[in-house]
Amino acid sequence: MKKRLWHMTPYDDAPLFRVMHIAVAVLILFQIINSNFTERESLGQHTLDAFITWVHISSGILLIVLGVFLFSWMLVKRGFFYYFSWVKFDFKDIVQDVFLLKHGKLPEAHHGGLAATVQGAGVLALLIVAMSGGLWFLLESINAPLSLTKMIIHWHKFMTAFVEIYFFSHGAMGVLHLFLRYRQTTV
């Protein structure tokens, strides 16, 4: 069952991308949880808050690296417009996928489709959040003006809300997709 479930997950043809996708998901969940225990003021201290803050910063830096890797892989393998055809105001594939969903059918991932658009948006959101956190850390490290660091951390936290919404909704859709695909193969 586990082996069959593993092969039903996306990117069967690209196991490295699949593993990176799972690693990013685990790290994002870890970041969501530990962000509630971070304290900017504790950075120079030897406390549990400081340790958690450093873990948050370190895993955030790792997310920048993994996010850049994922985004680069996506662009090299399929190109920019595979994920962002809407930039050219090309919505026909998204509309077609929504039509299939309305009729109870799962659309396959394809150029300009709903799955590709969602994946592109998710990776961009991840990069924006991780890089804004990295920028805040860099500015904090060089003692940049407090007003600037406060503005950057505000935007980091604001954008994090979108990543959290994306994370949980994307995860729920992924589980639903696996369930439906599993059900189709057992019927």
Side-chain angles (χ1 to χ4, degrees), residues 23-38 52-64 126 129-130 133-134 156 160 163-164 167:
V24 166
V26 169
L27 275 171
I28 288 172
L29 180 60
F30 182 66
Q31 290 289 81
I32 290 169
I33 293 167
N34 71 32
S35 67
N36 296 315
F37 305 102
T38 60
I52 293 171
T53 302
W54 278 108
V55 167
H56 186 80
I57 290 167
S58 301
S59 53
I61 292 169
L62 181 57
L63 276 171
I64 293 172
L126 164 69
V129 169
H156 173 70
T160 297
V163 170
E164 289 179 11
F167 175 81

Side-chain angles (χ1 to χ4, degrees), residues 59-73:
S59 53
I61 292 169
L62 181 57
L63 276 171
I64 293 172
V65 172
L66 293 177
V68 168
F69 174 81
L70 289 177
F71 193 62
S72 300
W73 186 90

